[in-house]
Amino acid sequence: MLQAIDLTKKYGNQVALNSLNLTVKPGEVFCLLGQNGAGKTTTINLFLGFLQATSGEARVNGIPVVPGQPETVKHLAYIPEVVMLYPNLTSLENLDFFSRIAGFDYDREALEAYLLRAGLREDAFDKRVGNHSKGMRQKVGIAIAIAKNASAVLMDEPTSGLDPGATHDFTETVKTLAGNNTSVFMATHDIFNAVNMASHIGIMRKGNLVHVLRADDISSDDVRQLYLETIR
Ligand SMILES: Nc1ncnc2c1ncn2[C@@H]1O[C@H](COP(=O)(O)OP(=O)(O)OP(=O)(O)O)[C@@H](O)[C@H]1O
């Protein structure tokens, strides 16, 4: 579970994030929309402990995030816009390597099962990731998150630059993660997909979370309309 409690980040006089309060429970997918500079990446970086909050608190499974301390990091996985993997290692070797770093030693069969659950095709298991598409790298990243048993996955612009087929695969994988009781928190500009996969949609403007909507209750046209009204 992820929680932000009056979470605030200032750079000098500039408020990047203003007293954010939100909770992402197990199995929920929270998609955060907002223009460039709204504070989405700042929020993710505060949860990851990459940044020190000016005031307030980010919590992971009830544990306060303290930069440099591993207690919360071990419960998290991070899928950035471009997933960083070792290009000369294969999908399986990358998964094995990052699983070991997280303290898990899996046999080949188990590693293959994680890659399959993340939606990677079997013919890519033994190929070097240096030649993988963005969508394939993401699937390896998601397999790492599943293998690590992360209780929350943070994602920054994961669908930008994906073709429609890869976006569809990604959406399905996110639903699988949520079905396994993982909390998913995603910064995105992709309103249509946000409505497709989210349980909750947040709209942020200039560091403020202005709206939180339940995705079940709203169409992508309505979200787009509200988004445009919010940012104007
Ligand atoms: N290191 C920094 N020093 C000063 N200001 C910063 C720094 N990092 C971010 N900011 C400012 O904080 C605000 C929020 O930035 P943030 O990157 O969180 O926005 P974002 O919503 O993720 O935007 P994008 O969609 O472009 O990634 C912006 O006004 C940005 O200029």
Side-chain angles (χ1 to χ4, degrees), residues 95-96 98-108 110-111 114 147:
L95 175 58
D96 187 26
F98 286 105
S99 298
R100 282 175 197 277
I101 286 182
F104 298 93
D105 181 7
Y106 296 115
D107 61 18
R108 184 180 168 106
L111 294 169
Y114 286 124

Side-chain angles (χ1 to χ4, degrees), residues 11 14-17 34-43 51 156-157 187 189 204:
Y11 293 100
Q14 196 198 345
V15 183
L17 188 66
Q35 280 182 301
N36 295 333
K40 305 181 297 296
T41 302
T42 300
T43 305
L51 290 175
D156 204 350
E157 306 287 351
H189 291 294
M204 203 168 218

Side-chain angles (χ1 to χ4, degrees), residues 55-76:
S55 59
E57 211 165 67
R59 289 187 190 166
V60 177
N61 292 348
I63 308 165
V65 175
V66 179
Q69 305 251 329
E71 279 88 313
T72 50
V73 177
K74 65 184 178 204
H75 299 294
L76 297 176

